[in-house]
Amino acid sequence: MKLTINQVAQLVNGTINLPEKGEETLDKFSKIEEGKKDSLCFLANAKYEHFLYASEATAVLVNKEFKPQKKIKPVLIYVEDPYQALAKLLQFYEQASQKNSVGIHKTAIINEKTKIGKNVFIGAYAVIEAGVEIGDNCIIKAHSFIAENCKIGKGTELNTGVKVYHNSKIGKNCKIHAGTIIGSDGFGFAPKSDGTFDKIPQIGNVVIEDNVEIGSNCTIDRATMGSTLIKSGVKLDNLIQVAHNVEIGENTVIAAQTGISGSVKIGKNCMIGGQVGFAGHISIADGSKINAQSGVSKSIKEPNKSWSGTPAREFRQHYKALAMLGKIPSLINRIKKLENNQKE
Amino acid sequence: MKLTINQVAQLVNGTINLPEKGEETLDKFSKIEEGKKDSLCFLANAKYEHFLYASEATAVLVNKEFKPQKKIKPVLIYVEDPYQALAKLLQFYEQASQKNSVGIHKTAIINEKTKIGKNVFIGAYAVIEAGVEIGDNCIIKAHSFIAENCKIGKGTELNTGVKVYHNSKIGKNCKIHAGTIIGSDGFGFAPKSDGTFDKIPQIGNVVIEDNVEIGSNCTIDRATMGSTLIKSGVKLDNLIQVAHNVEIGENTVIAAQTGISGSVKIGKNCMIGGQVGFAGHISIADGSKINAQSGVSKSIKEPNKSWSGTPAREFRQHYKALAMLGKIPSLINRIKKLENNQKE
Amino acid sequence: MKLTINQVAQLVNGTINLPEKGEETLDKFSKIEEGKKDSLCFLANAKYEHFLYASEATAVLVNKEFKPQKKIKPVLIYVEDPYQALAKLLQFYEQASQKNSVGIHKTAIINEKTKIGKNVFIGAYAVIEAGVEIGDNCIIKAHSFIAENCKIGKGTELNTGVKVYHNSKIGKNCKIHAGTIIGSDGFGFAPKSDGTFDKIPQIGNVVIEDNVEIGSNCTIDRATMGSTLIKSGVKLDNLIQVAHNVEIGENTVIAAQTGISGSVKIGKNCMIGGQVGFAGHISIADGSKINAQSGVSKSIKEPNKSWSGTPAREFRQHYKALAMLGKIPSLINRIKKLENNQKE
């Protein structure tokens, strides 16, 4: 990257506080606490504002309402939303620096009964079974495995070591990170009178719609019957468990290590923290916010509320209850006083 | 699948409410909420009963005691246990539709000092080291790795990308899902006075008995000395951590993302929810039920009890304690009243 | 192994209680509860002392202050620290029994623009991309993937199926267990007004210093900008999530299934239990001890304290609060009594 401050401002539809410095050049992105000469930084979280005042960075993306409280060195580039402006610039940078990986490695094993689109990359030692269809511009990295009859939409990327079980369907422009398993058996066993179990074969599949991103080492189980369904725009972090017959609504975002039990339906536009657990067979309303480590044991019917704790309660109720615990010592004292008064 | 209702009833030892419809055909399994014409559904959870009354399915497996509360369309097939009947039918279906995968892919690397049984399938790019023994009818899928001196019993299946460290022993008819790691080093380090650690080499192994199923991306560590032991019939879901020297008793079932610390002994026939944690060096009595997200910090000596919370307490105690929290506001009011009365 | 008691005592700088038995031979390590004739056991945890009195083992490593309370059969080898003595002996044993694995398997795909050191082992079907540098004596096992421009220091071992994304740097004498993913994208998305998200490309990397051990199926995300940093001597157990821009200080030890959110800074010499969660953008003081399943939502500024619970509180406060819950029933009784007295 080698851009002037003016060029950056133009790319992100921003304005600058010191137009006379607009031709200074920027040659790297830095975190604000590490910004040096020629760096472009961003300030999106007020917690980091104090770093601005000591920063040697050449320019910093800030919200258009931002007013520095002290003298600063960097040029400010005012934008609507610094985080989104950063996204745009980093995408621009990434596209410029990316090589166009296309071609099928000679060690990839691709069954002849497959349909592979144009401009596809398939890496070393990938294995693709019969009946698979892969759309144009897909990237399937080394050591990936795609079992029979899977469909993968255009522009989707499977990173190294992703394993996709038979009959899974993945939409367009998805990104699946290394080591994630899609379509393994749901956890279903019928107890028998002698204490052992009969396995319930899992004959359903996994359906992932478009623009979904899934982190590393996640596990997305196939449905017992029907489909485990991850809708458009969903973003999953790493090490997440999605059980059989789960449905996750559009644009819901889930942080790492959360576990979703069988047949749970999560609405759209939810924000779910890390290490949350959902009990089986419940529904979560659209726009729900669930704090990290919560345990959600019942359906959430009212949309757009925040929830916390185990069992999860509406946010303010949860904190009220926690605060109650702190009041007990003073209650003990007040009771003691009452008792003493009565004795007199 | 293409069976008449009578044929299905016969397979599961059931009876039907409308014998005159016994020759209608069924050609797919569906969830009850999605059942259409020609579908066979099942009703095992009362929560889903309302779907029955709107269902277009041709037949539904129900408990022999079940009495519909409204008019219904589907034929009812009465059985002892609908979930187990479903298991039986799905197993029948799966066996009918399964191709017989046998043969060793030419890219599989198999050390010559190995014993490979009859009718074995070994997939592309699998690697099998010296001293390994694999029983008849095993399925070892692509990208699996089996290190030196492992033994794998008859009829066991390792899905794609399973990694088995040296000296592990896996019994008969086990199923290990993709990405699971068996036999990696236990987490043992001896602290030194300068703050660094000496690694304790982990010279034990992992022993898995017969009929065990393990989900995707689990980690089962080898013992420091002796064996980490998973007994017959145990079922583990995805992303479960089993530390060194753990022992899990027969037919115990553990849901996803649970973590078991070193040297824990879990009894037989336990049911353990998701995201549970066990502190090291404790024992859990046979038949214990541990609710999701519990933190078990002490041994459980009494068998067949339910436990909840962190630290885990007997189920009713836990919920009593939670309820207590809700009583504090009313206590505050009562104390206030007492105080006002005294003042008068 | 075949050593006399005297030889063992010499190796660990110990003394024995029965010098006349010093020439008896030991030929295996056992856990104290399984010790038989010719076994060497160790006793480091008082919880296991009762096994000593029934043990048939030939010798047992104990702390030099240890005094048996009953008659025992085994010879005692007194040492400063039995656990560390065990580490030393097991390392000695492991070195003696280890074959020297060196050489590059013919199926490993190694780009020609790489620098590979001396005495390196690279296993079957490993893939190593352009610009990678691997130091002397490294072990890179089968199915590993090392993307462009990674650097791996001398003596480091990647077990089977480890995946390392581009530009990662791993120091000397590290050990990374099977299935761990290093350098996958951090979880960063900028929300848009229509509910969808713009991906923030993650252009930073992962830097792991020397003597770090990482368990199986962990996920260590690359930084958005700059580096996710794991400092010298850190030990991570299995299934741990380390988000983008996290920093973990020297010799900090973290148990399985813990999750660390973005930009968290953990100090050095911390001990962190399993299934702990850290909220984003906080700092944890050096020497902090965090109990299993805690949820740390705020920075910890005072070093060398113990923390517990969600939200995490200083250890004693947490247990005091838990105890308070138990007092409520007696408070209710006391209030009832006060009320009755007032009525009279």
Side-chain angles (χ1 to χ4, degrees):
Chain A
M1 160 170 138
K2 191 103 191 178
L3 293 170
T4 65
I5 296 176
N6 281 333
Q7 285 173 321
V8 167
Q10 209 176 349
L11 276 166
V12 296
N13 207 10
T15 57
I16 64 177
N17 66 339
L18 301 169
E20 67 274 18
K21 294 200 172 174
E23 290 309 304
E24 290 189 10
T25 57
L26 299 165
D27 68 4
K28 57 179 164 296
F29 293 97
S30 303
K31 294 186 285 181
I32 188 143
E33 61 269 42
E34 294 174 353
K36 301 238 166 64
K37 196 173 164 308
D38 305 326
S39 287
L40 172 62
C41 300
F42 78 107
L43 179 61
N45 183 337
K47 211 170 169 176
Y48 290 85
E49 184 178 329
H50 66 282
F51 288 116
L52 174 64
Y53 304 118
S55 180
E56 299 287 326
T58 292
V60 178
L61 293 161
V62 296
N63 185 282
K64 66 187 162 72
E65 314 289 350
F66 177 74
K67 288 192 182 62
Q69 302 301 311
K70 299 186 192 174
K71 240 180 109 177
I72 56 169
K73 269 196 189 167
V75 175
L76 297 179
I77 305 175
Y78 297 113
V79 293
E80 200 71 42
D81 178 340
Y83 203 48
Q84 220 181 317
L86 177 74
K88 200 166 181 184
L89 287 169
L90 287 175
Q91 283 165 7
F92 178 82
Y93 166 84
E94 202 180 45
Q95 273 156 27
S97 64
Q98 213 160 42
K99 294 166 314 185
N100 199 9
S101 288
V102 164
I104 295 173
H105 196 275
K106 63 177 193 278
T107 61
I109 296 177
I110 300 174
N111 188 288
E112 54 188 16
K113 290 177 202 151
T114 50
K115 283 189 198 164
I116 310 291
K118 291 173 204 157
N119 298 315
V120 163
F121 172 83
I122 300 180
Y125 300 130
V127 175
I128 298 176
E129 295 194 338
V132 169
E133 291 178 29
I134 295 179
D136 298 344
N137 306 310
C138 282
I139 295 175
I140 310 295
K141 292 207 173 164
H143 301 133
S144 289
F145 177 82
I146 306 177
E148 287 187 335
N149 300 318
C150 291
K151 310 266 176 282
I152 310 224
K154 291 179 188 179
T156 281
E157 178 182 327
L158 307 193
N159 218 299
T160 176
V162 168
K163 312 297 187 191
V164 188
Y165 280 53
H166 57 286
N167 297 335
S168 302
K169 287 180 182 25
I170 303 178
K172 287 176 283 192
N173 300 315
C174 293
K175 223 174 170 132
I176 318 279
H177 279 283
T180 280
I181 312 298
I182 293 171
S184 47
D185 279 1
F187 194 62
F189 299 91
K192 296 201 290 188
S193 55
D194 65 353
T196 66
F197 294 88
D198 264 340
K199 179 172 175 71
I200 313 274
Q202 305 287 306
I203 65 168
N205 73 344
V206 171
V207 174
I208 296 172
E209 295 184 350
D210 302 337
N211 303 311
V212 170
E213 183 153 345
I214 301 180
S216 298
N217 280 348
C218 291
T219 58
I220 318 287
D221 278 354
R222 67 193 312 106
T224 310
M225 292 175 282
S227 300
T228 301
L229 177 57
I230 299 183
K231 291 198 168 177
S232 287
V234 166
K235 312 295 178 194
L236 302 185
D237 200 347
N238 301 331
L239 291 167
I240 287 173
Q241 150 74 355
V242 178
H244 47 183
N245 292 98
V246 163
E247 189 180 316
I248 305 179
E250 286 88 353
N251 301 318
T252 281
V253 174
I254 305 183
Q257 296 180 320
T258 282
I260 308 171
S261 299
S263 300
V264 169
K265 283 195 185 189
I266 296 181
K268 60 186 178 185
N269 305 316
C270 294
M271 308 268 293
I272 296 167
Q275 298 183 334
V276 171
F278 291 89
H281 299 275
I282 61 174
S283 302
I284 306 301
D286 294 347
S288 295
K289 285 187 173 49
I290 320 264
N291 279 295
Q293 290 194 328
S294 299
V296 186
S297 54
K298 288 184 185 164
S299 287
I300 293 177
K301 285 166 190 170
E302 229 184 321
N304 305 315
K305 295 258 171 190
S306 285
W307 304 82
S308 254
T310 301
R313 282 183 286 197
E314 205 268 308
F315 193 72
R316 275 163 306 181
Q317 278 179 33
H318 174 70
Y319 283 93
K320 222 186 256 177
L322 280 186
M324 281 304 152
L325 213 51
K327 299 201 171 172
I328 299 177
S330 82
L331 294 189
I332 295 177
N333 285 337
R334 284 163 74 182
I335 291 173
K336 214 174 276 172
K337 215 170 162 184
L338 284 161
E339 289 169 339
N340 287 338
N341 287 348
Q342 278 198 349
K343 277 185 208 147
E344 283 166 16
Chain B
M1 153 169 145
K2 191 102 191 179
L3 294 169
T4 65
I5 295 175
N6 281 333
Q7 285 173 320
V8 167
Q10 209 176 347
L11 276 165
V12 296
N13 207 9
T15 57
I16 65 177
N17 65 340
L18 300 170
E20 66 275 18
K21 294 200 173 172
E23 291 308 304
E24 291 189 10
T25 57
L26 300 165
D27 69 2
K28 56 179 166 296
F29 294 97
S30 303
K31 293 185 288 179
I32 187 142
E33 62 269 42
E34 295 175 352
K36 301 237 165 66
K37 195 173 165 308
D38 305 326
S39 286
L40 172 62
C41 300
F42 78 106
L43 179 63
N45 181 338
K47 211 170 169 176
Y48 289 84
E49 183 177 329
H50 66 282
F51 288 116
L52 174 65
Y53 303 117
S55 180
E56 299 287 328
T58 292
V60 178
L61 293 162
V62 296
N63 186 282
K64 64 184 163 70
E65 314 289 351
F66 177 74
K67 286 191 184 62
Q69 301 303 309
K70 300 186 193 175
K71 240 179 106 176
I72 57 170
K73 270 196 189 166
V75 176
L76 296 180
I77 305 175
Y78 296 114
V79 293
E80 199 72 41
D81 178 340
Y83 202 48
Q84 219 181 317
L86 177 74
K88 199 166 182 184
L89 287 169
L90 287 175
Q91 283 165 8
F92 178 83
Y93 166 83
E94 202 182 45
Q95 273 155 27
S97 64
Q98 214 161 41
K99 293 165 316 182
N100 199 8
S101 288
V102 164
I104 294 174
H105 196 276
K106 63 178 193 279
T107 62
I109 295 177
I110 301 174
N111 188 289
E112 55 188 16
K113 290 179 202 150
T114 51
K115 285 189 198 163
I116 310 292
K118 289 173 206 159
N119 297 316
V120 163
F121 172 84
I122 300 181
Y125 300 130
V127 175
I128 298 176
E129 294 195 338
V132 169
E133 292 179 27
I134 295 179
D136 298 344
N137 305 311
C138 282
I139 295 175
I140 310 295
K141 291 209 174 163
H143 301 132
S144 289
F145 177 81
I146 306 177
E148 287 186 335
N149 300 317
C150 289
K151 311 265 176 281
I152 308 220
K154 291 180 188 178
T156 281
E157 178 183 327
L158 307 193
N159 218 298
T160 175
V162 169
K163 312 297 186 191
V164 188
Y165 280 53
H166 57 286
N167 297 335
S168 302
K169 288 181 182 22
I170 303 178
K172 285 177 285 193
N173 300 316
C174 294
K175 221 173 170 131
I176 318 279
H177 280 283
T180 280
I181 312 298
I182 292 171
S184 47
D185 280 2
F187 195 61
F189 299 91
K192 296 201 291 187
S193 55
D194 65 352
T196 66
F197 294 87
D198 264 340
K199 179 173 175 72
I200 312 275
Q202 305 286 307
I203 66 167
N205 73 344
V206 171
V207 174
I208 296 172
E209 295 184 351
D210 302 338
N211 303 311
V212 170
E213 182 153 345
I214 301 181
S216 298
N217 281 347
C218 291
T219 58
I220 318 287
D221 278 353
R222 68 194 310 107
T224 309
M225 292 175 284
S227 300
T228 301
L229 178 57
I230 298 183
K231 292 197 169 177
S232 286
V234 166
K235 312 294 178 193
L236 303 185
D237 200 348
N238 301 331
L239 291 168
I240 287 173
Q241 151 74 354
V242 178
H244 47 184
N245 291 98
V246 163
E247 190 179 315
I248 305 179
E250 285 87 355
N251 301 318
T252 281
V253 174
I254 305 183
Q257 296 181 319
T258 282
I260 308 171
S261 299
S263 299
V264 169
K265 283 196 184 188
I266 296 180
K268 59 186 179 186
N269 305 318
C270 295
M271 308 267 291
I272 296 167
Q275 299 183 334
V276 171
F278 291 90
H281 299 274
I282 61 174
S283 302
I284 307 300
D286 293 347
S288 295
K289 285 188 174 47
I290 320 264
N291 280 294
Q293 291 194 328
S294 299
V296 186
S297 54
K298 289 183 185 164
S299 287
I300 292 177
K301 285 166 189 171
E302 228 184 321
N304 305 316
K305 295 260 171 189
S306 285
W307 303 82
S308 254
T310 302
R313 283 184 287 194
E314 205 268 309
F315 193 72
R316 276 165 305 182
Q317 277 179 34
H318 174 70
Y319 282 93
K320 222 186 255 177
L322 279 187
M324 281 303 152
L325 212 51
K327 299 202 172 172
I328 299 178
S330 82
L331 294 189
I332 295 177
N333 285 336
R334 285 162 73 182
I335 291 173
K336 214 174 277 174
K337 215 170 161 182
L338 284 161
E339 288 168 339
N340 287 338
N341 287 347
Q342 280 199 348
K343 277 186 207 146
E344 281 165 17
Chain C
M1 157 170 141
K2 192 103 190 177
L3 293 169
T4 65
I5 297 177
N6 281 334
Q7 285 172 319
V8 167
Q10 208 177 349
L11 275 165
V12 297
N13 207 10
T15 57
I16 65 178
N17 66 339
L18 299 170
E20 66 275 20
K21 295 200 172 172
E23 291 308 306
E24 291 190 10
T25 56
L26 299 165
D27 69 3
K28 57 180 165 295
F29 293 96
S30 302
K31 292 186 287 179
I32 189 143
E33 61 269 42
E34 295 174 353
K36 301 238 165 65
K37 193 172 168 310
D38 305 327
S39 287
L40 172 61
C41 300
F42 78 105
L43 179 62
N45 183 337
K47 210 168 169 177
Y48 289 84
E49 184 177 330
H50 66 281
F51 289 116
L52 175 64
Y53 303 118
S55 181
E56 299 287 328
T58 292
V60 178
L61 293 162
V62 295
N63 185 283
K64 63 187 165 64
E65 315 289 349
F66 177 74
K67 287 193 182 62
Q69 302 302 310
K70 299 186 194 176
K71 240 180 107 174
I72 57 170
K73 270 197 190 168
V75 175
L76 297 180
I77 306 176
Y78 296 114
V79 293
E80 199 71 42
D81 178 340
Y83 202 47
Q84 219 181 320
L86 177 75
K88 200 167 180 182
L89 287 169
L90 288 174
Q91 283 165 7
F92 178 83
Y93 166 83
E94 202 181 44
Q95 273 155 27
S97 64
Q98 213 160 40
K99 293 165 317 185
N100 200 8
S101 287
V102 163
I104 295 174
H105 195 276
K106 63 178 193 279
T107 62
I109 295 177
I110 300 174
N111 187 289
E112 54 187 16
K113 290 178 202 149
T114 51
K115 283 189 198 164
I116 310 292
K118 289 174 206 158
N119 297 316
V120 163
F121 172 84
I122 300 181
Y125 300 129
V127 175
I128 298 176
E129 295 193 337
V132 170
E133 292 179 28
I134 295 179
D136 298 344
N137 305 310
C138 282
I139 295 175
I140 310 296
K141 292 207 174 164
H143 301 133
S144 289
F145 176 82
I146 306 178
E148 288 187 334
N149 300 318
C150 289
K151 310 265 175 284
I152 308 219
K154 291 180 188 178
T156 281
E157 179 182 327
L158 306 194
N159 219 298
T160 174
V162 169
K163 313 297 187 192
V164 189
Y165 280 53
H166 57 286
N167 298 335
S168 302
K169 287 180 181 26
I170 303 178
K172 286 177 284 195
N173 300 315
C174 293
K175 221 171 173 136
I176 317 280
H177 280 283
T180 281
I181 311 298
I182 292 171
S184 47
D185 280 1
F187 195 62
F189 299 91
K192 296 201 290 187
S193 55
D194 65 353
T196 66
F197 293 87
D198 264 341
K199 179 174 174 69
I200 312 274
Q202 305 287 308
I203 65 167
N205 73 343
V206 171
V207 174
I208 295 172
E209 295 184 349
D210 302 337
N211 303 310
V212 169
E213 183 153 346
I214 301 180
S216 298
N217 280 348
C218 291
T219 57
I220 318 287
D221 278 354
R222 67 195 310 108
T224 309
M225 292 174 283
S227 299
T228 301
L229 177 57
I230 298 183
K231 291 197 168 176
S232 287
V234 166
K235 312 295 178 193
L236 303 185
D237 200 347
N238 301 332
L239 291 168
I240 287 174
Q241 151 74 355
V242 178
H244 47 184
N245 291 98
V246 163
E247 189 180 315
I248 305 178
E250 285 88 353
N251 302 316
T252 281
V253 174
I254 305 183
Q257 295 180 321
T258 282
I260 309 172
S261 299
S263 300
V264 169
K265 283 194 183 188
I266 296 181
K268 59 187 179 185
N269 305 315
C270 294
M271 308 267 292
I272 296 167
Q275 298 183 334
V276 171
F278 291 90
H281 298 276
I282 61 174
S283 302
I284 307 300
D286 294 347
S288 295
K289 286 188 173 46
I290 319 266
N291 280 295
Q293 290 194 330
S294 299
V296 186
S297 53
K298 289 184 184 163
S299 287
I300 292 178
K301 286 168 188 169
E302 229 184 321
N304 305 315
K305 295 260 171 189
S306 285
W307 304 81
S308 254
T310 300
R313 283 184 286 194
E314 207 269 308
F315 193 71
R316 276 164 305 181
Q317 278 178 35
H318 174 70
Y319 282 94
K320 221 186 257 180
L322 279 187
M324 281 302 150
L325 214 49
K327 299 202 171 173
I328 299 178
S330 81
L331 294 190
I332 295 178
N333 285 337
R334 285 162 74 183
I335 291 173
K336 216 174 277 173
K337 213 169 163 185
L338 284 161
E339 288 169 338
N340 287 338
N341 286 349
Q342 280 198 350
K343 277 184 210 148
E344 283 165 16

